[in-house]
């Protein structure tokens, strides 16, 4: 698969092209509860893979969390000692459903829980309103944060997958620098946690909808 070929047999472009299934997600090296190291990474195939770093990268398990494609990647996951947490691209675990969030057992690769993305209206209207959660995940003890193309940032209980709070970033603010700021769709790597505050790039993807904003938000622990 080559980015500029578009399936046309020109030069060294193959036709038909292969699938865009490269590893789009940074690898995670973590230690499981049993003390063993494990290397985990998601790919544009919609799959999560686990490798044994102490045994020449032997594949330990793989699990499918979405359809997979260049527009439905896994941009980044997060892990503790028990599970890896992954946002779900289009065509999630439940047929016909779009998006969601999964907690996967590091030892077995089994899905411990999966929470579907709520089918809420997008703040900018129905055009380009999609709910897949391809954005990179951020993890703190007890809670994982996953953002959606619909502009919603959600905090999940790491034990149960329950949505602790749901924040719609598609709003308008009077920013601290004296200009109007607009929220929007969330993709890529939109959030980071530091000093007890979650910082969010609200509206960082021009590919998913007609409404992509320009706001940087500071969100407190209660989702406000």
């Amino acid at each position: 698969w080559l980015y500029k070929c578009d399936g046309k047999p020109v030069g060294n472009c193959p036709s038909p092209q292969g699938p865009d299934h490269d590893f789009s997600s940074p690898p995670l090296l973590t230690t499981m509860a049993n003390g063993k190291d494990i290397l985990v990474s998601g790919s544009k195939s919609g799959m999560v893979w686990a490798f044994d770093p102490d045994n020449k990268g032997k594949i330990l398990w793989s699990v499918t969390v979405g359809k997979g494609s260049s527009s439905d990647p896994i941009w980044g996951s997060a892990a503790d000692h028990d599970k890896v947490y992954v946002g779900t691209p289009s065509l999630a675990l439940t047929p016909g459903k779009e998006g969601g969030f999964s907690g996967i057992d590091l030892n077995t690769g089994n899905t411990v829980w999966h929470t579907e993305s709520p089918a809420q209206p997008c703040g900018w209207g129905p055009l380009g309103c999609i709910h897949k959660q391809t954005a990179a995940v951020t993890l703190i003890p007890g809670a994982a944060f996953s953002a959606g193309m619909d502009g919603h940032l959600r905090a999940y209980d790491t034990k149960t997958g329950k949505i602790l709070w749901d924040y719609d970033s598609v709003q308008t603010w009077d920013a601290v620098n004296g200009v109007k700021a607009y929220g929007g769709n969330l993709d890529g790597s939109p959030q980071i946690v530091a000093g007890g505050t979650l910082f969010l790039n609200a509206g960082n993807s021009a590919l998913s909808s007609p409404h992509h904003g320009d706001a940087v938000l500071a969100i407190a622990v209660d989702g406000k």
Side-chain angles (χ1 to χ4, degrees):
W1 188 87
L2 298 173
Y3 178 64
K4 291 292 186 179
C5 283
D6 196 28
K8 300 173 183 177
V10 178
N12 63 352
C13 291
S15 182
Q17 285 208 90
D20 182 14
H21 283 178
D22 58 276
F23 279 90
S24 52
S25 175
L28 298 172
L29 178 63
T30 189
T31 303
M32 295 188 291
N34 62 8
K36 183 173 178 56
D37 288 340
I38 188 171
L39 188 69
V40 186
S41 187
S43 79
K44 288 183 182 177
S45 65
M47 300 178 70
V48 180
W49 298 80
F51 308 92
D52 186 347
D54 298 317
N55 190 14
K56 298 183 178 179
K58 177 185 176 181
I59 297 174
L60 299 175
W61 51 259
S62 63
V63 60
T64 299
V65 298
K67 177 184 177 181
S69 71
S70 56
S71 59
D72 295 302
I74 298 169
W75 286 132
S77 49
D80 52 26
H81 298 308
D82 301 307
K83 293 185 288 293
V84 57
Y85 305 93
V86 185
T88 305
S90 293
L91 295 182
L93 296 177
T94 305
K97 297 292 183 178
E98 182 185 74
F101 196 58
S102 297
I104 299 168
D105 188 288
L106 280 176
N107 188 51
T108 64
N110 294 330
T111 300
V112 179
W113 48 257
H114 175 74
T115 305
E116 293 176 358
S117 178
Q120 299 160 308
C122 291
W124 59 80
L127 181 63
C129 184
I130 53 180
H131 302 286
K132 58 187 177 182
Q133 294 173 226
T134 54
V137 178
T138 299
L139 179 68
I140 63 173
F145 302 96
S146 176
M149 291 284 203
D150 53 11
H152 285 259
L153 174 69
R154 302 178 181 94
Y156 295 81
D157 186 305
T158 55
K159 290 184 178 180
T160 65
K162 177 184 177 181
I163 296 176
L164 301 174
W165 50 257
D166 185 327
Y167 184 83
D168 186 359
S169 74
V170 187
Q171 303 180 44
T172 304
W173 293 269
D174 293 317
V176 295
N177 57 338
V179 299
K180 289 286 185 181
Y182 305 92
N185 47 43
L186 304 173
D187 195 17
S189 49
Q191 76 277 328
I192 190 171
V193 173
T197 301
L198 187 147
F199 299 93
L200 176 69
N201 290 330
N204 64 336
S205 174
L207 301 177
S208 60
S209 82
H211 190 101
H212 44 280
D214 56 4
V216 178
L217 306 176
I219 301 174
V221 69
D222 56 359
K224 296 181 181 179

